[in-house]
């Protein structure tokens, strides 16, 4: 199911029956009240409602890309994937955003955010909205209600499992970024309920429990319709939380992480031959669909939004290069939004070996590697994502892209397996090396970039993750897990503020709870240091 034809209608339907919980401020723009019994009259109505839960990962409103259904947030700030990109990538050595006076940007990319930062509110509110949508679907799809409405229960265990994984996914993002969140489930009374605060450890247990519970009712990995959740998606989130468990809970669980990586690797996914096929407008059909474990669907006609791959691809266009045509968008794009920070660019440029690396999609000609934030003609840029197809065609629109965002893909699992093995999680050293070299052979086209067992180390892994997975919303999490995000062990341009970078305090490994959420839910408390 590549969500297309009735996604807007679906999203409207989902919003009509969703409660507005107190730590959200969701604008329901249709004043007409529709009773649930009038909506859920068929299995198809439920299918559309479930599509609406998925749609929250892409869309921002009922009325088009220029609106937001979360009050006080513009449509860019409130888009799910754009929010994750901001918090996970802009805060690291990967990238810089040119227009630093845009609300919230300076605080994020200079690691000086406060609880008033609007970008934080965008991510927190959108993730909690996803929880609310998932809960409402679960609330309306109990056996008792299905029986009362005369709807066969047939596929509903799978539908409900999908909703649980979507809920777990959002709580995972909240756990990773904020370390706490309010608890809501489908059994709670609809209305302005103030959910109890869950600690990071409690969120870990919640996410793990939801995923394990849902998994048994999901199809095997890489067997669901494209864009739908299967066991592979549940296993991927489990692998992620186990790999980061020492950060989240203080208890390492690298064996469980490695075991989950094995489950995913054995589930029928496969690497696409060409690295960049993962990031093209036809990545749902060009072979990358077998590598992408979970995509966030973008369609230039039916999922128009100013986040996701639209902002990434439009933002890749250089101010002086005007290379939008080659990326399948308008020539000037969005005016040179994104550039690479020097420390990241050097992972490709310092060693001549990487000149022949297919992942090296950097444009450096006539550009200094050092950057001035306000000058979009300084700093290297990249063309990793594109609104062109694998056959050279264009997406269906030159503003809004068709390129699906690969939230999770198999290449990450290969590197996670190797890391979990190196951290004492078991497995086999030769297998770990083979997985790493499979990625290198794809990148170099032969074995010229392969490494040997002596070269496979954690230092190698963190840099290889940067080269393989940049701009895929993993970098901040990776740097934290490796002890490189805070402190002064690793410094990059503008880290902590100054152009040369500086140390940042340990408390900044977790973002503050947004002030708006604290004001509306008295059960929430602020994270230390803020």
């Amino acid at each position: 199911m590549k969500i297309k034809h009735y996604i807007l209608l679906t999203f409207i339907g989902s919003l009509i029956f969703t409660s507005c919980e107190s730590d959200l401020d969701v604008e329901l723009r249709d004043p007409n009240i529709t009773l649930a019994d009038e909506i859920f009259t068929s299995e198809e109505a439920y299918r559309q409602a479930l599509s609406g839960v998925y749609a929250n990962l892409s869309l921002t409103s009922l009325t088009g890309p220029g609106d937001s259904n979360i009050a006080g947030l513009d449509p860019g700030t409130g888009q799910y994937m754009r929010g994750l990109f901001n918090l996970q990538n802009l805060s690291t050595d990967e990238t810089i955003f040119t227009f630093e006076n845009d609300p919230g940007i300076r605080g994020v990319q200079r690691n000086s955010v406060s609880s008033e930062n609007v970008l934080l509110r965008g991510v927190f509110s959108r993730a909690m909205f996803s929880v609310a949508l998932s809960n409402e679907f679960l609330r309306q799809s109990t056996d008792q209600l299905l029986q009362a409405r005369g709807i066969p229960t047939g596929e509903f265990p799978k539908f409900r499992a999908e909703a649980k994984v979507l809920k777990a996914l959002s709580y995972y993002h909240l756990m990773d970024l904020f370390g706490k969140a309010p608890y809501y489930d489908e059994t709670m009374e609809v209305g302005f309920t103030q959910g109890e605060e869950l600690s990071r450890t409690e969120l870990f247990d919640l996410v793990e429990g939801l995923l394990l519970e849902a998994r048994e009712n999901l199809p095997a990995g890489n067997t669901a319709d494209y864009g739908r959740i299967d066991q592979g998606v549940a296993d991927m989130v489990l692998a992620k939380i186990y790999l980061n468990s020492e950060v989240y809970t203080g208890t390492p669980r690298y064996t469980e992480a490695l075991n989950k990586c094995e489950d995913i690797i054995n589930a029928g996914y496969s690497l696409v031959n060409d690295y960049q096929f993962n990031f093209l407008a036809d990545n749902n059909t060009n072979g990358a669909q077998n590598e992408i474990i979970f995509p966030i669907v973008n369609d230039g006609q039916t999922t128009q939004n100013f986040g996701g791959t639209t902002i990434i691809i439009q933002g890749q266009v250089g101010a002086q290069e005007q290379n939008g045509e080659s990326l399948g968008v308008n020539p000037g794009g969005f005016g040179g939004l994104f550039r690479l920070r020097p420390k990241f660019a050097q992972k490709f440029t310092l060693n001549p070996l990487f000149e022949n690396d297919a992942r090296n999609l950097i444009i450096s000609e006539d550009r200094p590697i050092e950057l001035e934030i306000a000058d979009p003609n300084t700093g290297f840029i990249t063309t990793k994502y594109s609104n062109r197809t694998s056959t050279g065609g264009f997406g269906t629109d030159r503003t809004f892209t068709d390129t699906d965002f690969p939230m999770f893909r198999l290449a990450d699992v290969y590197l996670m397996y190797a890391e979990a093995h190196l951290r004492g999680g078991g497995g086999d050293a030769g297998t770990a090396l083979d997985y790493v070299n499979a990625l290198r052979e794809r990148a170099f086209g032969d074995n010229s970039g392969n490494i040997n067992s002596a070269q496979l180390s954690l230092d190698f892994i963190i840099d290889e993750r940067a080269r393989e997975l940049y701009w895929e919303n993993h970098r901040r999490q990776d740097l934290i897990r490796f002890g490189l995000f805070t402190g002064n062990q690793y410094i990059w341009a503008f880290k902590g503020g100054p152009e040369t970078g500086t140390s940042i305090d340990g408390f900044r490994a977790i973002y503050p709870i947004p002030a708006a959420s604290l004001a509306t839910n008295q059960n929430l408390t602020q994270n230390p240091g803020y």
Side-chain angles (χ1 to χ4, degrees), residues 87-105:
L87 300 195
Q88 292 284 19
N89 299 331
L90 284 186
S91 61
T92 74
D93 60 341
E94 282 193 347
T95 189
I96 207 82
F97 191 91
T98 297
F99 301 106
E100 198 172 40
N101 289 331
D102 282 11
I105 291 292

Side-chain angles (χ1 to χ4, degrees), residues 9 34 49 73 133 136 195 198 319 335 360 383 398 502 524:
L9 174 62
T34 305
L73 295 180
L133 289 172
E136 191 59 34
L198 294 183
N360 182 357
T383 58
R398 296 297 183 91
T502 190
L524 288 178

